[in-house]
Amino acid sequence: MTRTEKLLAELIALPSVNPAFATADGAPAPARQIHGEIRVTDFLAAKAAKAGLDIDFQKVFPDRSNIIVRLLPKNKVQQTILLAPHLDTVGAPDALFTPQRKNGRLHGRGACDTKGSVAAMFTALCELAGSKSRPMDTQIVFVGLVDEEYTQSGSRAFVAQASRLCVPNMLTNGRDARATTLAIVGEPTKLRLVTAHKGSLWLQLETRGKAAHGATPHLGKNAVHEMAKVVDFLETDYAAQLRRRKHSLLGTATVNVGQISGGTQPNIVPAACTISVDRRTLPGETESAVCREIAACLRAKKLTAKVSNTKLAPAPAMETDSALPLVRQFSRSLGQTSPAGVDYFCDAAILAAGGIPSVVFGPGDIAQAHTADEWISLAELERGKNLLLNFLKSLS
């Protein structure tokens, strides 16, 4: 068993379910103490102390903190690499917190999303600290982030205090930050360097009607019927309109009507109906512009619905310039000739919006995330650690 595999198995066995997910498969959560990341942060802090690394905590919630582990260079800090995976997971039955090794894979909640990235990044940092190849001018900072699965409070808090925590003046000089700072956000990318990802909007659309007795429906106005026309428009004409806009790495924006609710009982004409919509955005699209666009399209079709955003915090799309020096250097070290994009949203967008150039990289396949049998390839896990370690050793 490699050090990376051992660490990942230990991390899976320390549940760190985001408290927003209070149940597992609709049943009561196995135990209150599995919620939150504190057991993982304490565990990593003990490991970091044994490796002789600097440790700090950033309180995000009363009992949930980002952990910041730093390897300082031999000389004055000239540039900074952030290794930034998240520590929380979605909920799961008890059995998924017992790691299982089968056919070259490690199974368990968080195996790929994203404790695999945590294990690869943390092990690479510890091995670098114990080698003779410590960078001369580059500090390496492991930032274990909380709450990515819900509102990304960990990355938002880190951005707000990044210069105080680990990178003096990082956010006060945009040119220097772009040239001398890179965040590698840990997510399952199958070891591809990702420089762009989509954003996520959750919208609520509401139609209003007039209640009447079901025996005399002509005396009322059916809000469900009106919403049916809205749903049909979104899933056909509007979806086709989005498919005509293409991003070189991300493809097209998308729309999905995921929930609908209307009426009270069969013999009453429904006075109101609501739907919940997932709208994936491309770089350059904003929440307000998307809401205005949908409202204008509905008016053009003579449909009436109130459009509002229900996302608890902004989740914008991200795109980082692949020509930035540290991005180019990382790409070359991976042997990757062109950047990639992914459909999902992650902490990279929050860090990038805060002035920290960010990319996404990690072992595992997003198709396994949040599944009933989450797993990661152990060969890919170890290769990911080695690729990161080689990159870190190449820094000055």
Side-chain angles (χ1 to χ4, degrees):
M1 179 183 294
T2 68
R3 292 176 62 182
T4 322
E5 178 187 344
K6 182 176 184 296
L7 178 58
L8 177 54
E10 291 169 330
L11 291 170
I12 291 171
L14 291 173
S16 53
V17 175
N18 192 303
F21 310 112
T23 62
D25 292 346
R32 173 64 182 87
Q33 66 266 27
I34 75 167
H35 288 156
E37 301 86 350
I38 188 169
R39 292 163 69 186
V40 171
T41 52
D42 286 350
F43 175 76
L44 292 175
K47 291 275 190 183
K50 288 183 180 179
L53 296 163
D54 291 346
I55 306 160
D56 196 4
F57 292 94
Q58 180 192 20
K59 183 176 286 188
V60 179
F61 300 105
D63 57 352
R64 299 168 66 195
S65 299
N66 293 332
I67 181 172
I68 300 164
V69 179
R70 181 166 38 184
L71 175 64
L72 292 170
K74 296 179 180 179
N75 300 329
K76 182 179 178 181
V77 174
Q78 299 294 329
Q79 60 182 10
T80 297
I81 299 296
L82 301 177
L83 305 175
H86 67 86
L87 307 178
D88 60 322
T89 72
V90 295
D94 275 337
L96 280 185
F97 297 110
T98 301
Q100 300 286 336
R101 194 182 199 277
K102 294 182 283 187
N103 301 319
R105 301 171 174 176
L106 193 63
H107 297 247
R109 175 57 78 229
C112 77
D113 186 20
T114 60
K115 290 182 176 180
S117 290
V118 175
M121 291 176 165
F122 194 84
T123 303
L125 178 61
C126 290
E127 290 188 5
L128 182 66
S131 77
K132 297 179 180 179
S133 303
R134 177 182 291 204
M136 297 296 292
D137 305 303
T138 304
Q139 69 168 337
I140 315 299
V141 184
F142 174 93
V143 185
L145 297 165
V146 303
D147 194 46
E148 189 273 347
E149 295 286 3
Y150 191 51
T151 58
Q152 305 81 48
S153 297
S155 55
R156 296 177 201 278
F158 180 78
V159 161
Q161 298 184 24
S163 59
R164 180 187 70 80
L165 290 167
C166 61
V167 190
N169 301 320
M170 180 169 66
L171 303 181
T172 60
N173 186 327
R175 180 176 297 175
D176 288 348
R178 285 172 58 84
T180 63
T181 307
L182 179 66
I184 303 173
V185 174
E187 290 284 349
T189 70
K190 297 194 285 189
L191 302 181
R192 297 177 303 158
L193 170 60
V194 166
T195 60
H197 69 63
K198 291 182 180 180
S200 172
L201 280 178
W202 287 356
L203 305 176
Q204 179 175 281
L205 276 67
E206 181 181 12
T207 53
R208 304 294 298 183
K210 179 183 176 183
H213 196 286
T216 55
H218 59 283
L219 298 179
K221 182 181 178 183
N222 192 314
V224 169
H225 185 209
E226 181 72 4
M227 186 60 81
K229 292 183 281 186
V230 172
V231 171
D232 182 65
F233 164 74
L234 291 175
E235 292 282 1
T236 56
D237 293 357
Y238 184 59
Q241 180 180 321
L242 294 181
R243 286 194 293 272
R244 291 193 289 270
R245 308 174 197 166
K246 293 190 177 180
H247 185 277
S248 60
L249 297 179
L250 299 174
T252 66
T254 58
V255 63
N256 176 66
V257 179
Q259 289 179 305
I260 186 167
S261 175
T264 55
Q265 60 190 60
N267 62 341
I268 298 176
V269 175
C273 185
T274 62
I275 58 172
S276 295
V277 174
D278 181 294
R279 169 70 156 79
R280 297 291 157 150
T281 60
L282 299 177
E285 291 190 305
T286 65
E287 168 193 320
S288 58
V290 169
C291 290
R292 288 195 303 270
E293 174 186 74
I294 292 175
C297 289
L298 292 175
R299 284 195 301 271
K301 293 288 184 179
K302 295 183 169 47
L303 299 171
T304 302
K306 180 183 176 182
V307 183
S308 58
N309 177 32
T310 62
K311 201 83 169 178
L312 294 177
M318 182 212 72
E319 185 169 25
T320 295
D321 185 355
S322 60
L324 290 176
L326 286 170
V327 178
R328 284 203 317 268
Q329 187 172 349
F330 187 29
S331 182
R332 284 197 301 267
S333 76
L334 297 175
Q336 186 170 324
T337 57
S338 59
V342 291
D343 293 330
Y344 54 83
F345 170 82
C346 70
D347 280 321
I350 308 303
L351 299 180
I356 306 172
S358 302
V359 297
V360 189
F361 174 84
D365 186 340
I366 194 64
Q368 303 305 322
H370 302 188
T371 63
D373 185 26
E374 185 176 347
W375 57 266
I376 194 169
S377 160
L378 289 170
E380 187 172 307
L381 176 71
E382 193 63 19
R383 183 165 179 260
K385 184 270 292 183
N386 290 331
L387 288 170
L388 285 165
L389 182 59
N390 292 336
F391 169 61
L392 298 178
K393 285 182 176 181
S394 74
L395 299 168
S396 60

